[in-house]
Amino acid sequence: MAKNYRIAVLPGDGTGPEVVREALKALDAAAQKTGFTTEKTHYDLGGERYLKTGEILPEETLEELRKFDAILLGAIGHPDVKPGILEKGLLLELRFKLDQYVNLRPVILYPGVETPLKDKGPEDIQFVVVRENTEGLYAGAGGFLRKGTPHEVAVQESINTRMGAERCIRFAFDYCRKRNYRKKLTLCGKTNVLTYAFDLWQRAFYDVAKEYPDIETDYVHVDAICMWMIKNPEWFDVIVTDNLFGDIITDLGAMIQGGLGIAAGGNINPGGVSMFEPIGGSAPKYTGKNIINPVAAIAAAQMMLEHLGETSAAALIENAIKKVVSSDLKSLSAGQMGYSTSEVGDLVVKYIGAVTRD
Ligand code: IPM
Ligand code: MN
């Protein structure tokens, strides 16, 4: 019998629903072509629901989400909601409560896509960032003292557990081995200043490294990596880093791979439910115009299929993305693609080669 996957779909805010629609089109086409089925359940979590009902992530919804095979997320962030409320209450809450302890972010330049890096091409920009996703400065530890007074104090602490760093590092070594590219794992930190947090990370890194003699190891400070990602991106294969540094360097990574229109990521819990998303935001100014680039969301669906073990379906989507970005789109930027959001989805579906119903 054909396999069936239960997918929770969280279109979210802004352009999220528009890009998720196209990602689902690609998913259905790839499923049809390779012979599995999906059962999708939509959830209206996000800014609109919060503004109407005050609910962000009800406990029973969270419990339901635990039971899916995977989650596909559009975007979180609403112009009428104060920054931090939805980000922390929904996106980070999902990552934390579902213990999605790795944020996997490929930085891959496809042929035909323009990079701002002079003299660099697809052979140079081919790395993956493994970002710790449940700890660090994101843990929310800290608080105010004497808030609102001239003597106000704000403390925001970085939480780093040996268990948390180690499981992320081990995932990165495994991933690097499976990827079988340069077989090089780079730890990105700041051991010269953050002498507690990254001391722990560095010890964990080199301890785990002993189990992976086939993987070359390297260490680079976060400020320096921003330099080398621009100057010599070809040095990198897999990079492992903490939550905040991973957040920052993957936006830099997204730019060198062609922009937020193409960058996708997976929030991974290897033993639980994982969630896949385009890494760009909700783009309020493009909302509802059918001009946003859906490729990042389609790439998120591709990552989801890889994670589920549907490798041929994932490869079909990846090849379709490559064709669209190299031969059709004028640019990856919203409104400049030469096609509408839904037309880009149609092209991807065409290249996947499934027989459409209409
Ligand atoms: C990302 C985003 C989030 C983060 C925000 C929206 C909370 O920037 O997924 O990279 O900082 O992790
Ligand atoms: Mn970010």
Side-chain angles (χ1 to χ4, degrees):
M1 217 181 86
K3 255 193 149 163
N4 180 53
Y5 298 98
R6 295 186 64 237
I7 312 291
V9 182
L10 278 54
D13 300 319
T15 49
E18 294 166 64
V19 296
V20 161
R21 199 177 308 130
E22 303 315 310
L24 294 179
K25 262 160 59 176
L27 176 69
D28 287 345
Q32 193 198 27
K33 190 83 182 162
T34 57
F36 64 90
T37 55
T38 62
E39 184 189 323
K40 304 175 204 78
T41 310
H42 279 68
Y43 288 87
D44 67 347
L45 300 169
E48 293 298 333
R49 163 121 174 232
Y50 171 67
L51 289 170
K52 257 189 253 144
T53 68
E55 285 175 323
I56 303 183
L57 179 60
E59 195 54 43
E60 56 284 8
T61 307
L62 180 68
E63 290 315 309
E64 279 176 39
L65 288 174
R66 289 185 195 283
K67 297 184 197 119
F68 285 89
D69 293 312
I71 303 172
L72 186 66
L73 173 77
I76 300 296
H78 194 289
D80 302 336
V81 181
K82 196 177 143 211
I85 295 183
L86 297 168
E87 290 84 347
K88 285 178 89 169
L90 187 48
L91 183 59
L92 300 186
E93 194 69 4
L94 285 168
R95 290 175 181 169
F96 293 174
K97 289 273 171 69
L98 299 175
D99 206 21
Q100 294 163 340
Y101 64 82
V102 161
N103 197 327
L104 190 65
R105 297 187 161 183
V107 179
I108 293 176
L109 178 69
Y110 286 132
V113 172
E114 207 184 319
T115 174
L117 302 189
K118 189 165 148 283
D119 303 330
K120 299 290 177 192
E123 62 291 346
D124 304 306
I125 302 171
Q126 283 287 331
F127 60 92
V128 178
V129 178
V130 173
R131 163 186 173 187
E132 200 291 321
N133 211 29
T134 54
E135 301 194 340
L137 276 158
Y138 278 66
F144 293 109
L145 277 177
R146 304 191 288 265
K147 191 175 179 189
T149 74
H151 297 275
E152 177 166 348
V153 179
V155 177
Q156 191 108 39
E157 288 155 321
S158 178
I159 304 297
N160 297 267
T161 69
R162 172 73 192 215
M163 178 279 294
E166 198 173 311
R167 65 183 180 172
C168 176
I169 288 166
R170 185 162 275 113
F171 180 98
F173 272 106
D174 277 336
Y175 187 85
C176 190
R177 183 179 269 171
K178 269 198 226 107
R179 183 170 201 242
N180 200 18
Y181 179 55
R182 298 216 164 104
K183 292 203 140 191
K184 176 177 168 188
L185 181 63
T186 303
L187 172 65
C188 164
K190 188 73 186 167
T191 52
N192 52 349
V193 177
L194 306 180
T195 50
Y196 310 127
F198 281 101
D199 188 79
L200 182 153
W201 270 82
Q202 203 170 29
R203 278 182 287 117
F205 183 73
Y206 287 108
D207 282 350
V208 176
K210 291 180 198 138
E211 298 165 31
Y212 298 84
D214 51 321
I215 308 291
E216 184 193 340
T217 52
D218 188 20
Y219 170 82
V220 183
H221 292 318
V222 64
D223 48 349
I225 220 166
C226 292
M227 204 167 69
W228 299 125
M229 276 170 65
I230 301 295
K231 192 153 188 306
N232 296 101
E234 67 280 4
W235 285 355
F236 301 109
D237 175 5
V238 180
I239 298 171
V240 63
T241 190
D242 84 347
N243 209 338
L244 183 65
F245 292 166
D247 176 49
I248 297 168
I249 68 169
T250 54
D251 264 25
L252 183 63
M255 283 304 121
I256 67 173
Q257 72 179 120
L260 290 173
I262 196 158
N267 301 276
I268 313 285
N269 174 348
V273 57
S274 299
M275 176 169 77
F276 299 83
E277 54 176 334
I279 80 169
S282 54
K285 71 174 176 190
Y286 299 126
T287 300
K289 298 198 167 123
N290 199 24
I291 57 170
I292 192 82
N293 187 347
V295 168
I298 297 170
Q302 171 210 325
M303 288 183 76
M304 180 171 83
L305 289 176
E306 255 153 42
H307 178 79
L308 292 170
E310 292 294 338
T311 42
S312 29
L316 279 176
I317 298 187
E318 185 178 18
N319 287 329
I321 291 176
K322 281 188 188 164
K323 272 195 199 147
V324 170
V325 297
S326 65
S327 46
D328 298 308
L329 302 194
K330 284 209 211 77
S331 148
L332 296 187
S333 306
Q336 293 165 38
M337 299 187 289
Y339 294 89
S340 69
T341 306
S342 40
E343 283 169 345
V344 175
D346 292 343
L347 284 168
V348 169
V349 167
K350 184 178 93 185
Y351 293 137
I352 290 170
V355 188
T356 47
R357 264 160 278 151
D358 49 17

